Amino acid sequence: MSTLAHFAEVVDEAARTATAIPQFTESGPLGVEDAYAVQALSMERRFARGEKLAGVKMGLTSRAKMIQVGVNEVIWGRLTDAMRLEEGGALSKKRYVHPRIEPELAFLMKRELCGTVSPAEALAAVEAIAPAMEIIDSRYRDFKFALPDVIADNSSSSGFVVGPWGRPDQDFSNLGIVVEVNGRVVQIGSTAAILGHPLRSLVAAARAAASIGGLKPGWIVLAGGATAAHPLSVGESVRTSVQNLGSVSIKVAE
Ligand code: OOG
Ligand code: MG
């Protein structure tokens, strides 16, 4: 088995069994391109178990997120149908190592989008937008990683929940965001924190997804956390409200 396939098995098993692992970069260098190859190979293992590709997530598209994890590059990962959680439902904390949640904006694609596109072309390919949250769960010990580690680990993506879909022909460049935990505000922000405009994240997603044939109709694209992520504890109810778009919530069970 090649080293990359071995890394893919290790990170896939860590995710499947909710077990923390040491960073790959602690034992030797790993290039960014190879890290994306590990991500692809580890996701292939999930697809072999029956999961279906459902879209992509962009990561580290805001300053708050870059600062929280100490990595300053935009990254991307794959979303599967099995990662989607029911809006208003519960997640089981024991299925994760050390889950965090972050407020995001979701795009639903109506047309294919691939490679270098303008913001206008990107918008024309969008069916709807929605308030959303991503559950991230680094498989690395202490949630610490370098850029190649996090890429290999599907950019920490573990779950996502999407709120009500709304029309994309409204101004979503600077909408207020509030994250509440058991009714207490823990984060406030704006969609403008996402690369200045969430549409820029979709443009970046189209470029990134060129390596897998582009974004497909029906896919969901998560634009990236607009604020720092909140570490989840059992008993918490988390709600993200986005101005004009509504809210999305999830509970944390054992
Ligand atoms: C990396 C994933 C970042 C986002 O929205 O910025 C991300 C991490 O924070 O573990 O999902
Ligand atoms: Mg995210």
Side-chain angles (χ1 to χ4, degrees):
M1 193 188 272
S2 77
T3 313
L4 300 184
H6 173 68
F7 283 172
E9 179 177 357
V10 169
V11 77
D12 178 49
E13 276 302 289
R16 203 177 62 78
T17 60
T19 314
I21 54 171
Q23 296 173 45
F24 295 132
T25 56
E26 270 172 15
S27 55
L30 176 66
V32 164
E33 212 169 300
D34 280 351
Y36 275 112
V38 173
Q39 179 188 129
L41 290 166
S42 81
M43 297 307 288
E44 281 304 328
R45 299 173 63 91
R46 292 211 212 181
F47 301 141
R49 292 196 295 271
E51 291 184 40
K52 300 263 178 296
L53 188 59
V56 306
K57 61 80 61 75
M58 300 306 290
L60 307 181
T61 51
S62 71
R63 289 272 306 148
K65 282 291 310 177
M66 287 184 176
I67 290 166
Q68 187 175 31
V69 297
V71 176
N72 298 311
E73 308 272 344
V74 171
I75 56 178
W76 67 279
R78 291 150 165 94
L79 301 174
T80 75
D81 57 345
M83 289 164 61
R84 187 160 182 178
L85 300 162
E86 197 190 328
E87 138 58 19
L91 67 83
S92 168
K93 184 163 183 281
K94 63 174 183 292
R95 295 182 54 192
Y96 304 83
V97 183
H98 34 212
R100 297 177 177 177
I101 199 161
E102 54 197 16
E104 305 231 0
L105 187 82
F107 295 100
L108 178 64
M109 304 309 297
K110 75 173 166 202
R111 277 193 224 137
E112 198 170 291
L113 197 64
C114 184
T116 304
V117 298
S118 68
E121 285 164 338
L123 185 60
V126 173
E127 172 79 32
I129 58 172
M133 295 189 286
E134 185 182 23
I135 291 91
I136 52 169
D137 187 30
S138 177
R139 268 52 70 155
Y140 303 109
R141 272 200 299 257
D142 305 322
F143 223 109
K144 289 217 177 73
F145 45 72
L147 175 67
D149 297 310
V150 65
I151 291 169
D153 185 23
N154 198 26
S155 296
S156 302
S157 200
S158 294
F160 63 102
V161 51
V162 180
W165 290 113
R167 300 173 59 120
D169 60 346
Q170 56 182 309
D171 182 3
F172 56 90
S173 61
N174 185 13
L175 301 177
I177 297 176
V178 179
V179 183
E180 289 162 89
V181 174
N182 295 342
R184 183 175 58 91
V185 174
V186 296
Q187 291 288 347
I188 54 169
S190 161
T191 56
I194 303 164
L195 295 176
H197 192 314
L199 208 46
R200 294 208 180 108
S201 183
L202 186 61
V203 167
R207 201 178 310 122
S211 62
I212 54 169
L215 305 171
K216 303 289 180 207
W219 278 16
I220 286 172
V221 177
L222 292 179
T227 72
H230 169 80
L232 291 172
S233 301
V234 172
E236 289 183 332
S237 277
V238 186
R239 173 185 299 273
T240 288
S241 305
V242 180
Q243 183 188 352
N244 301 344
L245 298 185
S247 65
V248 55
S249 62
I250 196 103
K251 292 182 208 52
V252 187
E254 287 287 343

